[in-house]
Amino acid sequence: MSKKEIGAEEFAHVVAKGMQEMKAQQIEILDLRKVKNAVTDFFVICTATSDTQLDSIVDSIEKEVKETAGEKAFATEGTGSQGWALLDYINVVAHVFLPKKREFYALEELWGDAKVFKLPTE
């Protein structure tokens, strides 16, 4: 299968698809391209309901990105047992949280100037 070069916005949607595959909740894409001092172009954020689901979402994101764009994360941090995980693809950063950790970090508030896209979940 040939991999294709994709832009950051499309890449963010590939990450979101990986989240949707594992039934992640409250999926949001934050467009940070016009936000001063932003560390990346997009954050893709979701909520998992358990440690196991969190780890499964991370695996699904990695698989979807590898299959679609042939990319591996530049860095990963966290696990389900920590209540959060981060996958850094440079222009797109995926954040997977358990509910209390998502509330604690409140990235949507921290980056309040970002344009937010809420994606449908089942």
Side-chain angles (χ1 to χ4, degrees):
M1 172 189 267
S2 109
K3 310 297 185 243
K4 64 176 186 164
E5 184 97 10
I6 60 175
E9 188 168 357
E10 186 177 350
F11 199 102
H13 284 277
V14 170
V15 168
K17 182 178 179 197
M19 293 173 172
Q20 289 171 318
E21 292 289 323
M22 288 295 128
K23 310 240 184 291
Q25 299 179 352
Q26 300 170 303
I27 302 170
E28 296 182 345
I29 297 174
L30 278 62
D31 184 344
L32 301 167
R33 292 176 292 185
K34 294 183 180 176
V35 177
K36 188 176 180 177
N37 299 322
V39 295
T40 188
D41 291 339
F42 292 91
F43 278 165
V44 186
I45 306 168
C46 74
T47 302
T49 58
S50 68
D51 294 350
T52 304
Q53 185 190 28
L54 190 150
D55 290 335
S56 294
I57 291 168
V58 168
D59 291 344
S60 180
I61 293 167
E62 290 175 329
K63 180 177 181 250
E64 195 65 42
V65 168
K66 184 77 173 156
E67 288 177 359
T68 304
E71 298 284 334
K72 286 176 61 177
F74 174 74
T76 58
E77 296 182 37
T79 63
S81 63
Q82 294 172 306
W84 63 275
L86 175 148
L87 293 95
D88 185 349
Y89 291 99
I90 309 296
N91 293 331
V92 176
V93 178
H95 298 271
V96 185
F97 293 107
L98 291 180
K100 287 184 180 183
K101 291 288 186 176
R102 184 164 182 175
E103 186 179 321
F104 175 79
Y105 286 107
L107 293 179
E108 297 91 338
E109 293 174 29
L110 185 63
W111 296 96
D113 292 341
K115 188 172 183 181
V116 178
F117 302 94
K118 296 177 190 271
L119 282 97
T121 54
E122 289 182 12

